[in-house]
Amino acid sequence: MLKKPLLASLLSLLLCACTQQAAPPTATQITAAENARPFDTEISAIYQRSCISCHTTISSKAPLVGFAPDWQPRLKQGMDVLIQHVSEGYKAMPAKGFCSDCSNQDFKKLIEFMSTPVAANQA
Ligand code: HEC
């Protein structure tokens, strides 16, 4: 159906947004990000519907789920700024991250999950 080609073309639109990383994630870290899910089932559903497509795809340039080097500098901005960036959009990060009915509380939980090292989420 239409869904996958649409997603692929959206992702290819994002390829030009470049940020430099010190050390790229390993294949194992990417697989761990792809397999990680929030414990909270409602948040997990939102995450899988809205955030996972970019945030586990290296070519999207989005900070990789559970990959600390991507998140540490961003976390330094503070949670309020991160929530604002998700809500309003930030560079190649679309406003509300494809979750138009998400609350700031939802975004906070999603950010906490996405920025927590994967190993801690699996413990
Ligand atoms: C279409 C792809 C896409 C989707 C969908 C998406 N993101 Fe992002 N996100 C990005 C990109 C790209 C960046 C990096 C922006 C930059 O710093 O250049 C980003 C950055 C972020 C940041 C860091 C912002 C900062 O201030 O450094 C947070 C937090 C975030 N996303 C959360 C989310 C959440 C939560 C969702 C789901 C509700 C989501 N994203 C969905 C592409 C996406």
Side-chain angles (χ1 to χ4, degrees):
M1 298 225 281
L2 272 177
K3 213 172 164 198
K4 281 206 168 157
L6 178 65
L7 185 60
S9 57
L10 274 174
L11 288 176
S12 65
L13 277 177
L14 294 169
L15 286 175
C16 57
C18 307
T19 48
Q20 287 299 318
Q21 282 180 0
T26 63
T28 310
Q29 286 166 320
I30 296 168
T31 304
E34 287 167 353
N35 292 332
R37 297 289 182 274
F39 287 124
D40 181 320
T41 50
E42 272 179 44
I43 294 298
S44 182
I46 297 170
Y47 168 71
Q48 291 177 71
R49 200 174 62 222
S50 305
C51 319
I52 193 171
S53 57
C54 294
H55 282 270
T56 59
T57 305
I58 297 302
S59 60
S60 76
K61 304 289 181 195
L64 182 67
V65 168
F67 183 59
D70 278 0
W71 286 100
Q72 269 158 4
R74 296 176 187 273
L75 287 170
K76 286 191 187 136
Q77 303 175 103
M79 182 56 81
D80 289 349
V81 173
L82 290 174
I83 291 171
Q84 189 188 346
H85 283 169
V86 175
S87 181
E88 295 175 0
Y90 180 68
K91 301 184 193 174
M93 164 75 209
K96 295 203 166 242
F98 296 164
C99 184
S100 55
D101 58 347
C102 273
S103 67
N104 281 356
Q105 188 59 29
D106 294 330
F107 289 142
K108 180 169 185 281
K109 289 183 187 167
L110 288 163
I111 295 166
E112 283 169 352
F113 161 72
M114 289 163 59
S115 63
T116 300
V118 167
N121 274 323
Q122 286 171 336

